[in-house]
Every structure is written in structure tokens, then in C-alpha cells.
Amino acid sequence: MQTTGEIIKEFRLARGLTQEQLAEILELKSFATISKWENDENHPRGKEIKMLCKLFNISSDYLLGLESRDQNIEKQANLHYAKIKVYGKIAAGLPLEAIEDVTEEIICPWLKDDIDTENIFALQVNGDSMNKIVPDKYYAVFKKQASVRTGEIAAVMVNGGDATLKKVHLLSEKIMLEPLSYNPIHVEQLYKEHDDVRIIGKYIGCVSPYEA
């Protein structure tokens, strides 16, 4: 059987993620932790195991080398996951005109089908200004809500017809939308109190287009 480090590296590369990007997703302080995992010098624990299994759509037993690949595939095949409606695309760059019609449905491999998805929706990301969190062309999944706390990531409607994915900072009489990107061309967008900026959903995770 593969080691835990080999499994992490295989699934990271399959999703086109660098060690730095995976560290960002897992909220780790340094990509050196990922390097140590992949070289089997150290191993993920607790919350990290849960997040890796959710991201890679694998069981914890498989990740920890307690079951084979075939056993993991069989186990995952017996699980039923939620279908989520996709309402077009969202810009991870400059604001993009929002599409409000349902364009497709995707399978979300980390949401079971027994949950209420009435207030869950997805938008396909177009651009790289949030690629530390959501790679280009991935589906960003949101919970419908009209507000978020400062520092949370959200789908934001700008000036009545544009939608963008950004980290939200609530300032005195202003709102700042921060990109989280490895591309240095992206900068913060600052809006004043009288600008039409509306939260439409809180970001809760992403789905690879290869898994949807």
C-alpha cells in the first residue's frame, strides 16, 4: 500500500495544486508542513485529516494506509452526495456580470444527500485572483446569506449586476474586497458606503470540475 505521504502527493498533483496552495487551503502556516507529510517525515492529525479527506474525497482509513485503494473506491461508491445548482460563473478577478439562471447541477463530494440544499448554491470561478483558495474553473460553493463577518470569503454583487468572489473586510463606512492570489497583478477593491455592494452568499468550499 501507499504511504500517507504518497497519497497526499498523488491527490494534490491530480488536482493541480502546489504545496503552497494546499497549505493555504488547510490554513497551515507554511508549505514546509506539506513537504514533511509527503516525505513521510510527519503526518497530518485531527482537523488536518478531516480537511484532506474532504478535499480529496477519500476515507480517513485510506489516507492513513488502513485500507486499499479498491476498498476506498468501493466505500465512496456506496455514499450518496448532494446535488447543487450552479448559477453560472463568478469572477475571481474583476467583477463579472452575474448569471442568475441555473446552468447545471453538480455533485458535491463533501456534502451528503441528506442535508437541505435549498440554501446552498455554486458558481464556477473564472479567473485567478482567488487561486490560493479556489483554482480557476473550479466550482465555488456558497450558503445563501446576506451578511458575513469581516475576514470571511463571500460571493458579492457589485453595482447591481456584477458578481465577484473575494475576502470581505468591513471597514468604517467602507467595504474592501481582497484577492487571495499568487498573481501579483490583483489588488484590493475598495467601495464606499453609498456604492451598491451586496453579499449573496458565504463561501463554504469548492469542487473540482473533474469531480462534479
Side-chain angles (χ1 to χ4, degrees):
M1 289 188 185
Q2 292 175 291
T3 67
T4 296
E6 289 171 339
I7 292 169
I8 292 172
K9 184 175 182 179
E10 176 188 342
F11 279 86
R12 173 179 65 79
L13 293 175
R15 280 155 179 73
L17 298 172
T18 65
Q19 290 183 341
E20 290 88 347
Q21 288 171 323
L22 181 56
E24 288 277 356
I25 292 170
L26 299 178
E27 301 176 352
L28 301 174
K29 293 181 179 179
S30 170
F31 74 90
T33 300
I34 306 296
S35 179
K36 288 181 179 179
W37 290 351
E38 293 185 354
N39 289 307
D40 289 303
E41 298 173 6
N42 205 340
H43 294 92
R45 299 180 180 180
K47 178 184 176 182
E48 297 159 351
I49 292 174
K50 184 176 180 179
M51 293 176 74
L52 284 166
C53 290
K54 177 179 175 180
L55 177 65
F56 296 151
N57 190 27
I58 58 177
S59 71
S60 57
D61 283 345
Y62 176 59
L63 178 64
L64 299 175
L66 301 177
E67 68 181 15
S68 69
R69 181 187 295 269
D70 288 343
Q71 288 172 317
N72 175 69
I73 292 172
E74 182 179 357
K75 182 182 290 186
Q76 297 304 311
N78 290 328
L79 297 176
H80 298 281
Y81 298 105
K83 287 186 177 181
I84 299 174
K85 294 178 180 178
V86 179
Y87 289 85
K89 296 183 178 181
I90 189 169
L94 295 175
L96 178 78
E97 184 178 355
I99 303 173
E100 297 188 353
D101 294 330
V102 176
T103 59
E104 59 181 309
E105 283 190 335
I106 60 169
I107 300 294
C108 185
W110 40 266
L111 284 178
K112 300 298 186 294
D113 66 353
D114 58 353
I115 74 160
D116 182 8
T117 58
E118 182 67 24
N119 291 316
I120 305 294
F121 68 98
L123 293 163
Q124 190 170 29
V125 169
N126 183 32
D128 66 356
S129 79
M130 291 295 288
N131 64 5
K132 288 185 177 182
I133 305 298
V134 189
D136 186 27
K137 307 308 179 188
Y138 272 49
Y139 295 94
V141 182
F142 303 90
K143 179 181 179 183
K144 291 180 184 178
Q145 56 187 70
S147 64
V148 293
R149 290 180 291 186
T150 192
E152 292 184 324
I153 297 170
V156 185
M157 297 287 288
V158 180
N159 294 325
D162 296 332
T164 191
L165 173 66
K166 291 292 182 290
K167 186 175 183 179
V168 177
H169 296 276
L170 305 174
L171 310 175
S172 177
E173 299 183 352
K174 295 180 181 179
I175 182 169
M176 183 176 75
L177 304 182
E178 177 191 4
L180 297 174
S181 177
Y182 294 104
N183 186 339
I185 71 168
H186 298 291
V187 297
E188 293 86 358
Q189 301 162 20
L190 192 63
Y191 295 92
K192 297 180 180 180
E193 188 176 26
H194 64 265
D195 290 323
D196 184 9
V197 179
R198 181 166 58 93
I199 305 296
I200 59 174
K202 176 184 173 181
Y203 172 77
I204 60 174
C206 68
V207 176
S208 164
Y210 307 107
E211 295 177 322

